[in-house]
């Protein structure tokens, strides 16, 4: 078997030599455009002054949710990410893209295959039966030499695809986190409204009870009695409506997290410290230059990588219109005997190039190139659209923050004034110098003012969540060949 070992070593040596020639460019040239990162179509500065956003300390946004110091919110966020179908689909697409990169890398390298066979054959020519034994070992190697960069462009295309899928997975995670946070915020806001509505309903019922007693002794007119009872019923109705909204918020959290309703209820009511209180978002700083902010949005990065993928695909399709050169090699070793003769040894080997020339395809390859160019233009249009929408979301979030910060002191001042007015009217009524109609109107006005304060505080928290979502959350642009700690954690 010395000869066989020599030729096997030679074939492996050739495969190893050509594998070392794997290049990121074609051997002769690389067809297709070299991708240049697109310039984002955004203004040089934010149009909305980011005054509120700049009041915070620069912190790592990856830990933003933990800095709420709300364990209930943390639990709900983790459960929702594990159950989210959008996150699961995005993660599966990452695995698919990784497989494509591996296939593209393998296509540019030599491959080595082997077959081993043994068979026994019986035959005769009208006389005695002859038995033939045959044993065969084949080794085949082939390598397509990337003359015009088609394989290099294919690898470039799939690497861009992997980066796009990676960013899309992060975008799905940030979207789920923002959705759950808003649902949790709505639940706590409903608790505050229930607390205010219950306070109002208790006051109205007590007023109705006292007026009814006075009416029985003729100290109050029947109209006052009817008005107080109607006011009490209206207060109870408002309370029931608020309770309905809270219960619907629970159903939404159950659907998002996949937890049992009893478990969600237990989480929401376990701690008295966070009940009927809005989560307090920690402020953070955003860069004043829109382009730097938007490049940290995973959906923008994904769209930009889609554009790079489309650019590389033009080169892939162009390379199909040029000759293709392949180097193939084969070693076959066999031993056979025809009984009763002894085994005989035979060997064959071959090594040589082959070239294929595209001659006529009725315009199919040219059409594929034009299709790839059209897909590139579509990807460029999509990137511009994603960037414009991203800039709009940041601007809107900043507007909401600035508006809430400017309006909140005024609303709080109004609520204090209405509360003082209600106390004064109640004192006048108890002294017999006022009327019940004024008291009820003032009470409703005071409750409305307190509700407006709670609503504006809720709007401020929602605006912070929207800004966090608008700048891409805690995502960082990690190259696709570097393992992502968050993805590795999800795998575990």
């Amino acid at each position: 078997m010395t000869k066989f070992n020599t030729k096997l070593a030679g074939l492996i040596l050739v495969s190893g030599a050509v594998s070392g020639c794997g290049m990121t460019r074609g051997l002769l040239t690389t067809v297709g455009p070299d991708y240049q990162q697109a310039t984002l179509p955004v203004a040089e500065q934010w149009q909305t002054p980011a005054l509120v956003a700049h009041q915070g300390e620069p912190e790592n946004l990856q830990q933003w949710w933990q800095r709420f110091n709300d364990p209930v919110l943390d639990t709900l966020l983790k459960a929702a990410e594990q159950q989210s179908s959008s996150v699961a689909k995005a993660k599966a697409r990452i695995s698919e893209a990784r497989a494509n990169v591996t296939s593209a890398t393998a296509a540019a390298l030599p491959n080595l295959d082997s077959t081993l066979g043994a068979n026994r054959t019986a035959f005769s020519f009208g006389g005695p039966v002859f038995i033939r034994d045959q044993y065969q070992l084949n080794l085949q190697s082939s390598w397509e030499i990337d003359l015009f960069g088609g394989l290099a462009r294919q690898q470039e295309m799939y690497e861009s695809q992997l980066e796009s899928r990676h960013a899309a997975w992060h975008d799905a995670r940030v979207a789920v986190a923002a959705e759950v946070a808003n649902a949790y915020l709505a639940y706590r806001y409903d608790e505050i409204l229930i607390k205010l509505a219950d306070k109002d309903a208790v006051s109205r019922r007590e007023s109705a009870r006292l007026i009814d007693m006075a009416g029985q002794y003729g100290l109050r007119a029947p109209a006052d009695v009817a008005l107080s009872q109607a006011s009490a019923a209206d207060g109870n109705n408002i309370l029931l409506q608020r309770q309905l909204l809270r219960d619907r918020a629970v159903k939404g959290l159950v659907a998002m997290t996949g937890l049992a309703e009893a478990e969600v209820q237990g989480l929401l009511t376990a701690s008295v410290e966070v009940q009927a209180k809005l989560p307090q978002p920690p402020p953070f700083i955003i860069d004043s230059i829109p382009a730097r902010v938007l490049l940290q949005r995973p959906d923008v990065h994904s769209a930009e990588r889609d554009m790079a993928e489309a650019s590389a695909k033009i080169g892939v399709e162009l390379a199909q219109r040029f000759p293709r050169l392949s180097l193939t090699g084969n070693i076959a070793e066999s031993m056979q005997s025809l009984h009763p003769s002894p085994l005989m040894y035979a060997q064959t080997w071959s090594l040589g190039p082959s070239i294929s020339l595209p001659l006529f395809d009725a315009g199919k390859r040219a059409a594929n190139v034009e299709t790839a160019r059209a897909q590139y233009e579509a990807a460029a249009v999509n990137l511009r659209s994603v960037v414009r929408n991203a800039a709009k979301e940041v601007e809107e979030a900043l507007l909401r923050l600035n508006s809430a910060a400017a309006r909140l002191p005024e609303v709080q001042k109004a609520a204090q004034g209405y509360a003082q007015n209600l106390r004064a009217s109640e004192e006048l009524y108890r002294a017999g110098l006022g009327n019940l109609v004024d008291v009820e109107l003032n009470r409703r006005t005071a409750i409305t003012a307190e509700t407006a304060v709670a609503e504006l505080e809720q709007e401020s928290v929602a605006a912070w969540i929207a800004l966090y979502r608008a700048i891409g959350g805690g995502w960082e642009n990690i190259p696709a060949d570097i393992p992502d700690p968050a993805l590795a954690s999800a795998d575990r």
Side-chain angles (χ1 to χ4, degrees):
M1 298 296 289
T2 304
K3 294 181 179 179
F4 174 77
N5 291 336
T6 302
K7 290 184 173 59
L8 175 60
L11 186 61
I12 294 176
L13 181 62
V14 171
S15 299
V18 296
S19 67
C21 299
M23 296 176 290
T24 58
R25 308 288 293 179
L27 185 63
L28 300 180
T29 186
T30 302
V31 298
D34 290 330
Y35 176 72
Q36 300 294 328
Q37 188 173 25
T39 302
L40 300 186
V42 292
E44 295 182 358
Q45 299 289 332
W46 296 114
Q47 302 302 305
T48 303
L51 299 178
V52 175
H54 283 284
Q55 290 179 356
E57 295 295 330
E59 296 287 345
N60 187 352
L61 285 179
Q62 290 184 341
Q63 307 298 323
W64 194 61
W65 297 115
Q66 286 75 15
R67 293 176 59 222
F68 274 74
N69 296 321
D70 192 329
V72 178
L73 177 59
D74 292 342
T75 302
L76 294 175
L77 289 173
K78 292 176 183 178
E81 183 175 330
Q82 292 174 357
Q83 295 296 323
S84 171
S85 61
S86 60
V87 172
K89 291 177 182 177
K91 183 181 175 184
R93 296 186 72 198
I94 290 178
S95 299
E96 177 187 0
R98 287 192 188 280
N100 289 338
V101 171
T102 301
S103 298
T105 303
L109 298 175
N111 65 75
L112 183 65
D113 299 309
S114 67
T115 58
L116 179 65
N119 63 74
R120 168 170 288 189
T121 307
F123 58 93
S124 68
F125 299 97
V129 176
F130 295 93
I131 304 296
R132 184 178 68 180
D133 293 327
Q134 187 176 24
Y135 309 93
Q136 189 170 14
L137 171 64
N138 287 311
L139 286 176
Q140 304 92 25
S141 179
S142 64
W143 177 53
E144 180 180 346
I145 301 175
D146 193 14
L147 295 177
F148 299 97
L151 296 178
R153 291 297 189 198
Q154 185 175 10
Q155 185 166 0
E156 177 187 338
M157 178 179 73
Y158 285 128
E159 286 175 351
S160 298
Q161 182 189 78
L162 176 57
E163 292 181 15
S164 174
R165 300 282 177 83
H166 194 266
W169 178 70
H170 283 279
D171 188 52
R173 294 175 62 231
V174 173
V176 168
E179 184 180 3
V180 174
N182 279 317
Y184 179 70
L185 175 63
Y187 176 85
R188 294 303 183 198
Y189 176 58
D190 289 335
E191 282 188 327
I192 294 174
L193 295 183
I194 288 173
K195 188 175 180 180
L196 292 173
D198 183 62
K199 173 184 174 182
D200 181 50
V202 168
S203 176
R204 294 189 190 207
R205 286 196 298 269
E206 180 62 17
S207 295
R209 186 183 70 82
L210 294 175
I211 297 303
D212 183 63
M213 290 176 58
Q216 292 177 5
Y217 291 100
L219 300 178
R220 287 291 185 268
D224 287 348
V225 175
L227 180 61
S228 65
Q229 292 174 348
S231 177
D234 191 30
N236 290 332
N237 177 57
I238 294 173
L239 177 60
L240 292 172
Q241 287 179 335
R242 302 301 188 195
Q243 291 172 343
L244 172 63
L245 293 176
R246 179 199 58 190
D247 295 340
R248 289 180 61 184
V250 173
K251 303 294 185 183
L253 288 170
V254 169
M256 280 184 265
T257 60
L259 301 175
E261 185 165 341
E263 186 176 357
V264 173
Q265 290 278 15
L267 286 171
L268 295 172
T269 59
S271 176
V272 180
E273 297 178 355
V274 296
Q275 289 183 22
K277 294 181 181 178
L278 298 178
Q280 297 300 313
F284 53 85
I285 290 177
I286 66 171
D287 199 312
S288 60
I289 300 177
R292 283 205 292 257
V293 173
L294 297 183
L295 278 176
Q296 284 303 115
R297 275 182 60 122
D299 60 337
V300 172
H301 185 70
S302 177
E304 189 271 334
R305 289 290 85 196
D306 288 341
M307 188 174 170
E309 177 187 352
S311 174
K313 189 176 181 181
I314 297 175
V316 173
E317 297 298 343
L318 273 173
Q320 299 299 316
R321 305 185 67 183
F322 290 85
R324 302 175 68 177
L325 176 64
S326 297
L327 182 65
T328 59
N330 178 74
I331 297 176
E333 304 281 341
S334 65
M335 300 181 69
Q336 58 182 342
S337 68
L338 188 63
H339 286 284
S341 301
L343 287 171
M344 295 180 296
Y345 172 75
Q347 62 172 310
T348 60
W349 65 271
S350 65
L351 178 66
S354 64
I355 188 167
S356 62
L357 301 173
L359 297 177
F360 177 74
D361 61 3
K364 178 182 177 181
R365 292 182 178 87
N368 290 340
V369 173
E370 292 305 314
T371 300
R373 288 194 172 115
Q375 291 172 344
Y376 174 79
E377 293 300 326
V381 171
N382 179 66
L383 174 61
R384 290 193 290 269
S385 176
V386 170
V387 168
R388 288 195 302 270
N389 183 68
K392 181 201 73 168
E393 290 180 356
V394 175
E395 295 280 6
E396 287 180 345
L398 291 174
L399 277 174
R400 291 171 63 185
L401 277 173
N402 291 342
S403 176
R407 291 158 52 202
L408 186 57
E410 302 300 324
V411 173
Q412 291 172 335
K413 183 178 179 180
Q416 293 173 357
Y418 287 127
Q420 292 176 356
N421 183 56
L422 173 61
R423 288 193 295 269
S425 63
E426 286 175 335
E427 291 176 0
L428 287 174
Y429 184 74
R430 283 193 293 267
L433 300 177
N435 61 76
L436 186 60
V437 175
D438 291 340
V439 173
E440 293 301 333
L441 288 176
N442 291 336
R443 177 184 290 110
R444 294 181 186 181
T445 302
I447 293 297
T448 300
E450 287 188 70
T451 303
V453 172
E455 180 181 0
L456 201 53
E457 291 174 342
Q458 186 263 357
E459 167 65 17
S460 178
V461 177
W464 275 114
I465 295 174
L467 183 61
Y468 171 85
R469 172 72 179 91
I471 63 174
W475 178 71
E476 292 182 0
N477 187 355
I478 301 175
D481 59 343
I482 298 178
D484 185 342
L487 184 58
S489 177
D491 288 332
R492 289 195 295 271

